[in-house]
DNA sequence: ATGAAGTAGAATCTCGACAAAAAAGCTGAT
DNA sequence: ATCAGCTTTTTTGTCGAGATTCTACTTCAT
């Protein structure tokens, strides 16, 4: 299943290598929280799932491990990076540090082009459906994409592709946590409103206000994930720290 | 990222895989600026240089590319990341942002263990020779290691392994620039003194003072590199934008 | 029972050869 | 001379088999 062989029509017209194709698919599945059952990732399993030889699969796994989405032990293969409450806290804290700096720099160096891209990203996000129309229980992958695009547009003018890359990396991790914990449905949260406030204050040049709104946005999301974590997550994979009595 | 792996066995006794061995050696050579002549990195060349098959070499190259030390284009192989003045400026700026945050957090959460590790790192750095005794023209690799260890010890208590990893990554890049431009010999610069001031203010809990000293330290180094760059570096390898597709 | 040593099975990692693609070289017409 | 189009050469990316290492299980002695 899901054995979308490397058809020439996949995604864009660019001729990708098999390793890149596996990398992309596996990364999507990881961020989607689609395979959090087992901690270990046998290469043979990946091979049979994505339909590629061992060599390209290993290359893809090496990339993902270098990015921090997977772990690796020499002679012992690859494994899914464990999730835990303390990790989520640390992740959120780091993310707030970096995104605050990035947003302030972006606002300081704002220009017309960047502002237009931001309102565009907000508009697209507002138009998208939060959940899948046919199945309101699961998230809409398209919305996830646009959500990422919006937060990326916010910091796009910060003037450092390094910082943008780091924020992307942390965004990936946060995505994984959000979708693993099956982000609760709304619960009276005005998602689009939060994003709109962030964008408005940013466009107004109100750096302090924008940062405050952005950080609260992240912290609220993290808190909701944490809730689901504490009650519902089964730490059989070994993510548990010292939670038993 | 996750480059500064503290645990997996590079030290001794642990049997590493060939891919990891090539990764380590090639990374050292990159940071040493030992092979900046040609922009392209043919895998056959790497194979014959480090004596390993194509598969482990490709895995190592994939890791380095994911870390940002190499570049990669599908179906077109790997290449050394080009260096340029604007890149150096952007790198330094980003580094100052992240290291300032990391140092402030470290100072805020300081404890006895961390302080002791810091004075230890400073002591070892002060004892090491800046240049090689037998050949005072080239840098001492041992000193480079201790230098990195010192700056790492400074931020070790910041409470985020993510932030530490990012700083390590930027430190790698900075190392590369410093050693490519054959960091000028002293020129009246009191290197150990600068580090001592940083450590003293840090241990005193003087966050503002420590940050000021640290950032000046980085900016001065960058400025000296930039000088060498502007006059002596031959941009044939591609300081300019690389050709598309 | 408990624990240590040894063995069978499974997984990782590596090598060499092959296929696919890109770069370089060549011919010939404008 | 120049450039398009074809051929040759080089390089990348992929596959399948085999060697090495880890893991789980059995056996035996304390």
């Amino acid at each position: 299943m899901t054995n979308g062989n490397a058809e020439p029509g996949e995604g864009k017209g660019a001729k990708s290598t098999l390793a890149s194709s596996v990398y992309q698919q596996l990364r999507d599945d990881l961020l989607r929280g689609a395979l959090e059952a087992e901690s270990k990732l046998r290469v043979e399993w990946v091979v049979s799932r994505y339909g590629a030889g061992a060599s390209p699969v290993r290359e893809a796994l090496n990339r993902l491990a270098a990015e921090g989405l997977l772990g690796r032990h020499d002679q012992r293969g690859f494994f899914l990076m464990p999730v835990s409450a303390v990790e989520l806290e640390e992740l959120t804290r780091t993310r707030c540090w970096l995104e605050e700096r990035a947003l302030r720099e972006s606002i300081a160096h704002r220009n017309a082009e960047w502002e237009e891209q931001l309102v565009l990203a907000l508009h697209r996000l507002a138009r998208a459906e939060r959940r899948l129309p046919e199945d309101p229980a699961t998230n809409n992958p398209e919305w996830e994409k646009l959500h990422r695009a919006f937060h990326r547009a916010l910091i796009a003018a910060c003037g450092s592709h390094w910082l943008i890359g780091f924020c992307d990396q942390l965004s990936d991790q946060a995505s994984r946590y959000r979708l693993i914990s099956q982000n609760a449905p709304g619960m009276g949260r005005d998602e689009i409103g939060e994003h709109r406030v962030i964008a408005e204050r940013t466009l107004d040049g109100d750096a302090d206000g924008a940062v405050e709104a952005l950080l609260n946005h992240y912290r609220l999301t993290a808190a909701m994930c944490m809730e689901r974590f504490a009650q519902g997550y089964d730490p059989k994979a070994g993510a548990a720290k010292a939670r038993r009595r």
Side-chain angles (χ1 to χ4, degrees), chain A:
Chain A
M1 44 171 63
T2 326
N3 192 359
N5 216 343
E7 289 285 335
E10 169 91 75
K12 299 181 275 280
K15 53 218 92 172
S16 72
T17 140
L18 247 186
S20 291
S21 170
V22 172
Y23 164 81
Q24 198 73 3
Q25 296 182 54
L26 188 49
R27 182 169 175 279
D28 282 353
D29 284 346
L30 281 175
L31 296 193
R32 211 172 147 189
L35 32 84
E36 297 294 329
E38 51 188 343
S39 166
K40 190 112 179 53
L41 252 198
R42 283 182 310 271
V43 17
E44 188 49 45
W45 185 85
V46 180
V47 162
S48 69
R49 169 159 178 156
Y50 299 98
S55 311
V57 162
R58 288 186 62 82
E59 292 190 20
L61 293 176
N62 271 287
R63 289 185 211 172
L64 290 167
E67 270 175 40
L69 251 57
L70 292 181
R72 181 184 55 75
H73 284 128
D74 273 6
Q75 309 283 22
R76 217 160 295 182
F78 299 83
F79 56 91
L80 284 106
M81 220 49 172
V83 290
S84 72
V86 304
E87 249 295 314
L88 175 57
E89 194 278 333
E90 194 171 312
L91 172 64
T92 305
R93 194 151 29 88
T94 311
R95 203 168 173 219
C96 286
W97 292 339
L98 265 59
E99 294 255 357
E100 167 167 5
R101 171 58 72 179
L103 181 54
R104 286 190 188 278
E105 294 293 329
S106 241
I107 292 175
H109 298 98
R110 71 190 135 161
N111 59 63
E113 167 66 13
W114 167 71
E115 292 179 352
E116 289 174 8
Q117 291 299 324
L118 182 56
V119 306
L120 208 55
L122 177 65
H123 172 74
R124 288 180 182 144
L125 181 63
R127 280 295 179 86
E129 292 294 334
R130 179 71 182 82
R131 306 280 167 176
L132 277 179
E134 61 266 21
D135 180 7
T138 56
N139 296 326
N140 181 359
E142 190 56 32
W143 188 90
E144 294 292 334
K145 266 204 184 79
L146 293 172
H147 184 215
R148 301 269 296 264
F150 171 80
H151 283 286
R152 191 170 220 268
L154 266 179
I155 63 171
C158 75
S160 164
H161 65 267
W162 290 104
L163 187 52
I164 293 177
F166 296 151
C167 286
D168 276 352
Q169 218 170 321
L170 296 177
S171 183
D172 287 348
Q173 296 286 339
S175 228
R176 178 158 171 257
Y177 272 88
R178 238 187 22 245
L179 297 181
I180 282 179
S181 72
Q182 287 291 6
N183 192 8
M187 302 206 202
R189 186 175 180 186
D190 179 15
E191 306 213 36
I192 187 57
E194 292 181 29
H195 289 103
R196 197 180 303 280
V197 168
I198 295 170
E200 282 173 359
R201 294 184 181 170
T202 296
L203 291 170
D204 284 349
D206 175 14
D208 291 335
V211 165
E212 185 194 357
L214 180 65
L215 266 50
N216 281 338
H217 174 70
Y218 286 145
R219 288 181 181 132
L220 178 54
T221 305
M224 291 171 63
C225 279
M226 197 75 83
E227 221 170 275
R228 283 299 180 94
F229 245 150
Q231 61 184 20
Y233 186 68
D234 179 28
K236 75 175 174 186
K241 210 52 177 174
R243 194 171 157 275
R244 285 278 185 257
R245 334 187 150 81

